[in-house]
Amino acid sequence: MSELQLIVEKLNKEPFNHNFTLVAFDEKSNFELLQILNEVFAEMDSRHNIDIRDELDEQRTYRYMELLQLLKYQLPPDLDGFREGLSHGERYVVYPILYWALKGFAVHKKRAYLGRFLAPLQVPQEFLGNESLNGMYEQYKQLQNDFKNAHKQVEQLRTSKIRPGELRKEITQLEEESHQLSEKIAHLKKKTASEQGFKDTLEATSALRKEQEEQAKLAERKRDQMMGLNMAKKRSHDYEQRLSEMRQSITTNMQPDQLFDQLQAQVDRHRDILINKFPAEFRLQQEKLAHLDAALNEPAKTEADIADMEDEIQNLKNSIQHFADQLTEVQKAAGDDKLAIFRQHANIQTKKLNDKIDEMTKAKHESAALQKQLEEQAGCRLRHPATEAKFAEVMGPKFMKPNEFKQFNNKMRNKANQHKRLRAVLGEIAAESVVLHRTEQVLKSRDSDLDGLLKDIEASKGVVGYMDTEGKLNEISERNAQVNAFKGETLEEISRIVTDINQTLKERKNQLAPQIKDLRAVRQKYQEMEQTYLEKKAQYDNTAVGLETERIRLEQECTAFQDDCLREESQYHQLHTLLQIETARLEKVTQEEEFDKGNGKLHRDFRTFQELYKNKVIQQESLTKELRKQQKTLKTNLGDYVIQRNMFDQLLKLLQCKVQLTTNEQGGAKLDIFSTAADIAQFDVGGANVMTIDA
């Protein structure tokens, strides 16, 4: 794709949205090209959104050069010619700039945004000698560093796949924690503000804490490095030992079976160390640690206590030596030195064992030599078929081929190993038999009637029939061995069944292998789809956050507009009501004027509103006068009315008392003066209240 084609394609897309063709763009004048270049620069940095018609050529060129240097555009060596061509909008200058700017537009836009805040401010050194200017310059550098850190965090958040809801929760939690910490710090500052020397103490403790943290980090690092060094030394020692063993095995020209036996012995030795020695050493270390803990928990020993313990140890050693000397003298005096016999027998057996070991070593060397000779002969036979045929002719039908000979050789080697193992077992049994025979002779020499002695011992111990019981137990043991053998056969049968089941499972696995392979492919495809889904979901979440923010902003604006609308509507209805009231009043005034002129009549009794209102005023005044007269009459006769009311109250009480007495005399018969048989009425006669009782 050519430069011109890429420029036209980029300008026809967002955010420029031009509708250029190659021919139309190529026909643009220099000034129009400068306008397009300025539009591209304005999209990168809003500070360049300037009408170039209102700007001098020198200012525009300086602005463009500054932006190109900020974006690290590769300027040509001929800067004067480049600046002149940029000032006049020459195509050979504008086209490369447009191609470079539009090709990496997003990167250049980001760099322009960062350069707006991170561009270095050139301050002469002589001005930095001023303290205020130097402080402002340092603050400027610090703000730039803060901006870098904030921008990095924003980029990480944009590229991360954290959900917006989780971010909101985390931000809320952090704000609450920050608020709590601020309150706590303010409380502590307020509490310690009145204490003298607290600031110095705080600085000292802060410095001490930092040093302690640094010391702890260094100690931990040292410990890790020492552990690594010890492990490296140990591995190096093991590797050197293995290397020396391998070199020794190579120099001695060992056979493969010998090398295998050596490796097997090494594995057995390591297994023995792992299973037996390491747990034993671990237990010893634990016991030692427990003993040391107990010793640490005990009270401190004084020098006198230590001296007493040393004296006690020395006395015990002397006592042990004294008892050992006495035991030796007693054995010599009795002439029954049994240990001498066993020592002599042990020496004899040791000598025999050493002789057998020498014989076995010699036999191994002879076997190795013969094995090597046979292999050479077998190789010679393999290399010369005629020689093999000659061997077959000489040795007859019993001649073995090389493969058969190797199998026979392996079989003989296995039998030889088995023979050696059985021979060693036989030697152990023979040695044990000698010891038992000697023991039997010693016991028989002490007592010829052994059975009688055993019976006497059984009788003395209260276990008569022990030997018979032991014989029966031996029979039971033999039967138990037979049962165990039967169990072994059963277990072999079970193992055979298990083998068949495993074989069946293996066949089933082989049958399922293609499906498993397909499943793996599907699983791989699922993982890829899941990755795509997560990416799309993250993109959706980011878009949703932006749309949610936009929705909230629009809702707030809509709410504000709705409140304004309701307020205006309420004001409109209020004004409309006031207008209707004033209109009604105006109509009434107009009617009053017409009635005064004689054009019409309000009512058959009243001609105008004025007459109507005057009549109502007169009525109210007469009613007021009448009410005042009644009020005056009431005030004048108030005392008589009160006396009369009290008299009637007393009369009512007297009548109620008579009714109660009559009821008690008649035995429960009731007389209710207020029932239908007696009626009380009250009338207003001549301004006085009169009460009558009719029976």
Side-chain angles (χ1 to χ4, degrees):
M1 184 181 294
S2 63
E3 292 184 2
L4 188 60
Q5 187 176 358
L6 187 139
I7 292 170
V8 172
E9 183 179 352
K10 293 291 184 181
L11 289 175
N12 290 336
K13 294 181 180 179
E14 292 287 343
F16 307 105
N17 296 325
H18 290 291
N19 194 15
F20 292 147
T21 61
L22 292 175
V23 177
F25 182 77
D26 191 55
E27 292 177 352
K28 295 289 183 182
S29 63
N30 293 346
F31 185 77
E32 290 175 340
L33 290 176
L34 287 175
Q35 285 182 335
I36 294 172
L37 181 61
N38 190 78
E39 183 181 358
V40 173
F41 286 166
E43 286 294 333
M44 291 183 182
D45 191 353
S46 59
R47 293 179 297 175
H48 293 271
N49 191 7
I50 301 173
D51 191 356
I52 61 175
R53 292 174 295 183
D54 300 335
E55 190 178 20
L56 298 177
D57 294 343
E58 292 80 4
Q59 294 178 354
R60 182 179 65 252
T61 306
Y62 177 77
R63 180 164 56 85
Y64 288 170
M65 291 293 293
E66 185 180 6
L67 180 62
L68 291 174
Q69 290 177 359
L70 180 64
L71 299 179
K72 296 183 179 181
Y73 177 73
Q74 190 67 31
L75 297 175
D78 187 10
L79 287 178
D80 295 334
F82 178 79
R83 189 180 290 108
E84 186 70 20
L86 184 61
S87 176
H88 295 90
E90 298 294 339
R91 298 178 187 276
Y92 69 89
V93 176
V94 177
Y95 279 0
I97 296 175
L98 284 174
Y99 176 76
W100 171 82
L102 294 173
K103 186 177 181 181
F105 181 77
V107 178
H108 299 325
K109 186 175 182 180
K110 181 179 178 181
R111 184 172 293 174
Y113 168 74
L114 296 176
R116 181 179 178 182
F117 302 100
L118 300 179
L121 184 63
Q122 301 297 333
V123 180
Q125 291 294 330
E126 56 269 16
F127 292 150
L128 293 177
N130 191 350
E131 294 182 358
S132 59
L133 289 177
N134 192 12
M136 293 176 65
Y137 185 73
E138 293 296 332
Q139 185 180 4
Y140 165 73
K141 289 290 186 183
Q142 183 64 33
L143 291 174
Q144 281 188 339
N145 293 329
D146 295 341
F147 176 78
K148 289 179 182 178
N149 297 329
H151 182 71
K152 288 180 181 178
Q153 292 178 0
V154 170
E155 290 295 328
Q156 291 176 359
L157 290 175
R158 286 176 178 173
T159 55
S160 63
K161 298 181 180 180
I162 301 176
R163 296 181 179 179
E166 296 177 357
L167 283 176
R168 293 194 190 98
K169 291 181 180 178
E170 187 175 356
I171 290 170
T172 305
Q173 184 178 0
L174 290 175
E175 288 178 352
E176 292 178 356
E177 292 178 358
S178 176
H179 182 66
Q180 292 176 0
L181 289 174
S182 300
E183 290 181 351
K184 188 178 291 184
I185 291 170
H187 178 68
L188 291 175
K189 285 183 178 180
K190 184 177 180 181
K191 186 177 180 180
T192 57
S194 60
E195 295 183 4
Q196 296 181 357
F198 177 76
K199 186 175 181 181
D200 298 335
T201 306
L202 180 61
E203 292 177 355
T205 53
S206 299
L208 177 61
R209 179 178 55 79
K210 291 179 181 178
E211 292 296 331
Q212 288 177 349
E213 291 177 355
E214 186 68 22
Q215 185 178 3
K217 291 180 181 178
L218 292 175
E220 185 177 0
R221 191 179 303 170
K222 180 181 178 182
R223 184 170 60 254
D224 295 339
Q225 290 179 357
M226 290 299 295
M227 290 177 63
L229 179 61
N230 294 331
M231 293 294 292
K233 286 182 178 179
K234 188 175 181 181
R235 287 197 299 269
S236 176
H237 179 70
D238 294 339
Y239 291 153
E240 288 177 357
Q241 186 176 0
R242 290 177 61 184
L243 180 61
S244 61
E245 291 177 357
M246 294 298 294
R247 287 176 178 174
Q248 185 178 1
S249 63
I250 292 171
T251 54
T252 54
N253 195 12
M254 296 177 64
Q255 296 297 326
D257 54 349
Q258 295 176 355
L259 182 61
F260 180 76
D261 293 338
Q262 183 179 358
L263 293 175
Q264 186 66 34
Q266 186 178 1
V267 170
D268 294 337
R269 185 170 64 255
H270 290 167
R271 185 182 291 110
D272 180 66
I273 292 172
L274 179 63
I275 296 174
N276 298 325
K277 291 185 179 180
F278 279 176
E281 291 180 359
F282 181 69
R283 285 194 298 271
L284 289 175
Q285 294 294 334
Q286 282 186 334
E287 292 175 358
K288 186 177 180 181
L289 181 61
H291 180 69
L292 292 175
D293 290 336
L296 288 174
N297 294 327
E298 291 179 356
K301 301 291 184 182
T302 61
E303 294 182 359
D305 295 336
I306 295 172
D308 294 339
M309 289 180 181
E310 290 178 352
D311 294 339
E312 186 177 356
I313 291 170
Q314 189 63 34
N315 293 330
L316 291 174
K317 287 182 179 179
N318 295 332
S319 300
I320 292 170
Q321 186 65 32
H322 178 66
F323 288 139
D325 295 340
Q326 286 182 357
L327 181 61
T328 304
E329 291 176 359
V330 170
Q331 287 179 353
K332 288 181 179 180
D336 188 13
D337 192 2
K338 298 178 182 179
L339 294 177
I341 299 172
F342 290 107
R343 289 194 189 97
Q344 184 179 3
H345 181 70
N347 292 329
I348 294 170
Q349 294 299 326
T350 303
K351 186 176 180 181
K352 289 182 179 180
L353 180 62
N354 293 330
D355 295 338
K356 294 298 182 182
I357 289 173
D358 294 336
E359 291 178 2
M360 185 177 67
T361 305
K362 186 177 180 181
K364 281 185 177 180
H365 289 303
E366 292 177 357
S367 176
L370 292 173
Q371 180 69 23
K372 188 175 181 181
Q373 186 178 359
L374 287 173
E375 289 179 355
E376 290 177 356
Q377 291 178 0
C380 182
R381 285 159 52 192
L382 289 172
R383 290 192 297 269
H384 301 285
T387 307
E388 184 178 355
K390 188 175 181 180
F391 269 103
E393 183 179 356
V394 172
M395 298 181 69
K398 294 183 179 181
F399 171 72
M400 291 185 292
K401 294 182 179 180
N403 295 330
E404 295 175 353
F405 181 76
K406 286 184 179 180
Q407 294 177 0
F408 177 74
N409 188 15
N410 293 330
K411 187 176 180 181
M412 292 301 294
R413 186 182 293 111
N414 294 331
K415 288 185 177 181
N417 293 330
Q418 186 178 4
H419 171 70
K420 291 176 183 178
R421 186 169 60 255
L422 294 175
R423 189 173 179 180
V425 174
L426 182 61
E428 293 176 358
I429 293 172
E432 188 176 359
S433 175
V434 171
V435 174
L436 292 174
H437 182 67
R438 177 60 182 168
T439 305
E440 184 181 3
Q441 289 179 356
V442 171
L443 292 174
K444 285 183 178 180
S445 63
R446 290 184 178 180
D447 196 344
S448 58
D449 190 6
L450 185 59
D451 294 334
L453 178 62
L454 290 174
K455 289 181 180 180
D456 294 338
I457 292 172
E458 289 176 359
S460 63
K461 298 295 183 180
V463 287
V464 179
Y466 172 76
M467 297 300 294
D468 298 335
T469 305
E470 187 178 5
K472 293 179 181 179
L473 289 174
N474 291 330
E475 292 179 1
I476 293 171
S477 299
E478 292 177 357
R479 293 178 183 177
N480 191 14
Q482 294 177 359
V483 173
N484 290 333
F486 178 73
K487 288 181 179 179
E489 294 177 357
T490 306
L491 290 174
E492 289 179 358
E493 182 68 19
I494 292 172
S495 64
R496 185 181 61 79
I497 295 171
V498 171
T499 304
D500 296 339
I501 293 172
N502 291 331
Q503 184 66 26
T504 306
L505 289 174
K506 188 175 181 180
E507 293 176 357
R508 295 289 178 84
K509 286 182 180 178
N510 293 331
Q511 293 177 0
L512 292 174
Q515 298 179 3
I516 293 172
K517 187 176 180 181
D518 297 338
L519 178 62
R520 289 175 180 172
V522 173
R523 187 175 295 168
Q524 182 68 24
K525 187 176 180 181
Y526 166 74
Q527 291 177 356
E528 294 176 357
M529 294 298 294
E530 186 179 12
Q531 183 67 24
T532 305
Y533 164 73
L534 292 175
E535 293 177 357
K536 297 294 184 183
K537 190 174 185 301
Q539 185 178 1
Y540 166 77
D541 291 337
N542 294 330
T543 307
V545 170
L547 294 176
E548 182 70 15
T549 306
E550 184 68 19
R551 184 185 66 80
I552 293 172
R553 185 180 64 80
L554 292 175
E555 284 183 354
Q556 292 176 353
E557 293 179 358
C558 181
T559 304
F561 291 151
Q562 189 174 5
D563 293 339
D564 294 339
C565 180
L566 292 175
R567 186 170 57 255
E568 295 294 335
E569 186 177 0
S570 176
Q571 187 176 3
Y572 162 74
H573 287 299
Q574 182 180 4
L575 294 175
H576 183 67
T577 304
L578 294 175
L579 180 61
Q580 289 180 350
I581 293 171
E582 295 299 329
T583 303
R585 290 178 179 176
L586 182 60
E587 290 179 356
K588 189 180 290 185
V589 171
T590 305
Q591 290 179 1
E592 184 71 15
E593 290 178 352
E594 293 293 332
F595 294 154
D596 286 338
K597 293 178 181 180
N599 297 329
K601 192 176 182 181
L602 176 64
H603 194 263
R604 60 184 180 85
D605 297 329
F606 308 103
R607 187 169 60 85
T608 61
F609 286 103
Q610 186 177 4
E611 294 179 357
L612 176 63
Y613 291 149
K614 284 182 179 180
N615 185 29
K616 287 184 177 293
V617 169
I618 292 169
Q619 289 179 359
Q620 291 297 325
E621 287 178 353
S622 61
L623 180 61
T624 302
K625 289 179 181 180
E626 184 66 25
L627 291 174
R628 285 178 179 174
K629 288 180 181 180
Q630 291 182 5
Q631 182 182 9
K632 185 177 180 182
T633 304
L634 289 173
K635 287 181 178 180
T636 304
N637 300 323
L638 178 62
D640 298 335
Y641 293 159
V642 171
I643 293 170
Q644 187 178 4
R645 175 64 183 269
N646 292 332
M647 291 174 65
F648 275 103
D649 289 338
Q650 293 175 2
L651 178 61
L652 179 61
K653 291 179 181 179
L654 180 61
L655 292 175
Q656 288 177 352
C657 183
K658 287 183 178 181
V659 169
Q660 186 176 3
L661 291 173
T662 305
T663 303
N664 293 333
E665 290 176 358
Q666 293 179 359
K670 295 183 179 179
L671 179 61
D672 191 359
I673 62 174
F674 300 104
S675 63
T676 55
D679 190 10
I680 298 175
Q682 186 175 359
F683 300 97
D684 186 4
V685 179
N689 290 327
V690 179
M691 183 178 68
T692 61
I693 300 175
D694 296 332

